[in-house]
């Protein structure tokens, strides 16, 4: 038991025990100084669909893309400091060309129809009237607001090829959902579309996309144009392989040979594994980063996907995560599992603004109404404000802990959560050559999932030799910063 280490602490415990009902156990986790799970690239968010709705709101840009405090509905909100934005290349336009126009699912949700820059198939030239660069102003605006606040990694991604490239002209998917919806004579056009946007953005928006992703959950069979509520398109794995090759060629021919290709944004870890294993070496050789979505939550073989990526020398991102648990508990649980088993170098939330518990801030992208900042927002802030780009991710020693090391500041960041009974969590830094200074303050921040503390800061925790500890009520998520640490 921790308390036996210090006489004063024992007295304190007697007091605490009378006021805190369940101090039942404590746990010790040992932070490893020798792991290197990669250099952190950042936390991020996708811009579809919330930025189409709210892309002119500078207060929201401040909240999501800066770390300063912003007044929102009368309260001060600490910025979450996201540094990655995923820009969605839309698939919708409302023009008629040669008698053809977009087919829309009867269940389509308007806020999820994203503008396509390429209006018809008459010309591939971006300066021709087949292209409109004035559309999608709100999403483009949020992209530039994000950049102005320090976001520095941008990805261009597609949920569906533009409607006229699709077999049924419906950007919500094929009829039935389980078959390819990109016409075979348009495989290369889909690549032309994305490469042209990347080239145009570099020249005209001041945005250099680090990577381009042509698919979204492509092997899933739910992209059904007859019932869909959003853009989506099924691609079988061999079609993905063809489009990946086309995309490499089209990027290269536009002077974008250093633009990375990411694939395949499958829905789960296990689907990412099976797609990767079937893509074939020609295509995998052209993929620079494996993107996977986190919708398998606590399930799936994160560890196997990491092994595949690292043995192939590929980067790995959790490029899309979301759920309806506004308390933050699911987010924290799954993010911690990602750090410990998937080892992504970036982690990207799906909708910053949404209803039903999905948003970091509650809101309605159709009615254009905004609600409260979710407790999930504060839970994510415990990570995103402290685990910053350039830090080395370490093994926190347990499924409830992550650690990150800032070598230039000689600072160790630890984030941990407690889902058990209220207890002390002890952090053992004895593997570090310099584990901080005994007696030194360890600044601490706390968010209580559900309700309670929202990123509250405390100055009450001190190093004791090479250890420190903190009391965690059930559902507490805490962040610590230890100074003067050397690996
Ligand atoms: C326009 O449609 C007609 C009739 O379907 C077709 O023969 C022709 O090739 C189309 N032209 C273009 C430019 O797509
Ligand atoms: C705004 O703040 C007021 C006062 O705290 C609160 O009653 C109201 O619910 C908040 N509105 C939103 C949309 O969060
Ligand atoms: C930690 O998570 C892994 C992966 O989900 C799981 O296999 C393992 O049982 C967990 N360990 C504990 C102690 O819960």
């Amino acid at each position: 038991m921790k308390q036996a280490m210090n006489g004063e602490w024992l007295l304190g415990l007697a007091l605490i025990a009378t006021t805190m009902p369940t101090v039942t156990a404590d746990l010790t986790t040992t932070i490893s100084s020798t792991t290197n799970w990669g250099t952190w690239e950042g936390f991020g968010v996708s811009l579809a669909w919330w930025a189409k709705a709210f892309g002119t709101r500078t207060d929201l840009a401040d909240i999501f893309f800066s770390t300063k405090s912003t007044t929102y509905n009368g309260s001060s909100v600490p910025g979450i400091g996201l540094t990655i934005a995923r820009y969605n290349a839309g698939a919708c336009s409302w023009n008629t060309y040669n008698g053809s126009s977009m087919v829309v699912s009867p269940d389509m949700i308007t806020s999820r129809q994203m503008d396509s820059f390429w209006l018809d198939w008459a010309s591939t030239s971006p300066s021709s009237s087949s292209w409109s660069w004035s559309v999608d102003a709100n999403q483009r605006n949020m992209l530039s607001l994000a950049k102005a606040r320090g976001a520095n990694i941008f990805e261009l991604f597609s949920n569906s090829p533009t409607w006229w490239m699709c077999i049924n002209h419906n950007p919500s998917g094929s009829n039935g959902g389980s078959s390819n919806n990109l016409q075979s004579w348009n495989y290369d056009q889909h690549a032309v579309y994305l490469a042209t946007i990347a080239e145009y953005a570099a020249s005209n928006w001041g945005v250099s996309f680090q990577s381009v992703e042509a698919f979204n959950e492509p092997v899933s069979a739910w992209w059904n144009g007859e019932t869909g509520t959003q853009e989506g398109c099924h691609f079988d794995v061999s079609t993905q392989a063809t489009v990946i090759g086309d995309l490499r060629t089209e990027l290269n021919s536009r002077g974008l040979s250093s633009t990375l290709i990411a694939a395949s944004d499958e829905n789960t870890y296990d689907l990412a594994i099976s797609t990767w294993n079937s893509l074939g070496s020609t295509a995998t050789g052209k993929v620079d980063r494996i993107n996977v979505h986190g919708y398998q939550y606590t399930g799936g073989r994160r560890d196997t996907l990491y092994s595949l990526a690292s043995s192939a020398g590929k980067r790995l991102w959790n490029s899309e995560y979301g759920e309806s648990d506004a308390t933050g508990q699911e987010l924290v649980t799954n993010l911690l599992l990602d750090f410990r088993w998937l080892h992504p170098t970036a982690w990207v939330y799906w909708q910053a603004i949404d209803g039903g518990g999905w948003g970091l801030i509650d809101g309605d992208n159709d009615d254009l109404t905004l609600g409260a900042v979710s407790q999930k927002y504060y839970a994510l802030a415990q990570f995103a404000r402290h685990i910053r780009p350039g830090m080395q991710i370490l093994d926190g020693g347990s499924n409830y802990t992550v650690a990150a090391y800032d070598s230039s500041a000689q600072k160790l960041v630890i984030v941990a959560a407690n889902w058990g009974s209220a207890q002390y969590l002890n952090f053992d830094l004895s593997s570090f050559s310099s584990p901080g200074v005994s007696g030194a303050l360890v600044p601490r921040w706390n968010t209580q999932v559900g309700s309670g503390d929202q990123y509250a800061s405390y100055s009450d925790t001190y190093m004791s030799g090479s250890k420190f500890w903190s009391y965690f009520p059930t559902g507490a998520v805490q962040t610590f910063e230890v100074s003067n640490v050397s690996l």
Side-chain angles (χ1 to χ4, degrees), residues 73-84:
N73 188 34
S75 298
S76 178
V77 178
I80 204 165
L82 305 176
T83 57
I84 296 175

Side-chain angles (χ1 to χ4, degrees), residues 45-59:
V45 70
S46 295
L47 299 180
W49 307 299
W50 69 275
K52 175 188 177 185
F54 296 104
T56 59
R57 290 282 297 253
T58 55
D59 57 341

Side-chain angles (χ1 to χ4, degrees), residues 29 31 401 414 416 425-429 466-468 472 480:
T29 192
I31 314 296
T401 310
I414 297 170
L425 297 185
N426 310 312
F427 301 93
D428 181 339
L429 310 189
S466 58
K467 294 190 169 74
F468 71 92
F472 278 68
F480 307 91

Side-chain angles (χ1 to χ4, degrees), residues 345-401:
T345 53
W347 198 89
V348 182
Y349 196 70
W350 174 227
Q351 289 299 305
I353 310 271
D354 204 355
W358 282 74
L360 300 175
I361 295 180
D362 190 54
D364 187 318
N365 292 321
D366 288 279
D367 292 348
L368 302 181
T369 52
L370 288 168
V373 179
S374 170
Q375 197 71 0
K376 172 187 279 186
Y377 174 91
Y378 295 98
L380 182 56
Q382 295 278 151
F383 296 82
R385 285 176 56 89
H386 298 270
I387 299 176
R388 301 298 297 170
M391 290 187 179
Q392 179 182 334
I393 305 302
L394 306 177
D395 182 357
S398 60
N399 285 353
Y400 60 83
T401 310

Side-chain angles (χ1 to χ4, degrees), residues 97-100 121-122:
Y97 181 71
N98 198 29
S100 294
W121 54 95

Side-chain angles (χ1 to χ4, degrees), residues 121 127 229 271 295 306 319 354 425 434 451:
W121 54 95
S127 57
T229 59
L271 287 174
Y295 295 107
Y306 174 68
S319 55
D354 204 355
L425 297 185
S434 167
S451 65

Side-chain angles (χ1 to χ4, degrees), residues 120-170:
D120 64 54
W121 54 95
S123 174
T124 58
S125 168
S127 57
S128 74
S129 63
S130 291
W131 296 72
S132 171
W133 296 102
S134 64
V135 300
D136 204 24
N138 278 6
Q139 191 189 185
R140 286 187 288 113
N141 194 62
M142 187 55 75
L143 182 68
S144 71
L145 293 178
K147 185 180 178 211
R149 283 154 183 76
N152 59 2
I153 296 181
F154 307 102
E155 174 163 85
L156 178 67
F157 80 100
S158 167
N159 284 327
S160 166
T162 290
W163 65 267
W164 54 259
M165 298 181 197
C166 298
I167 289 170
N168 60 1
H169 286 181
N170 185 329

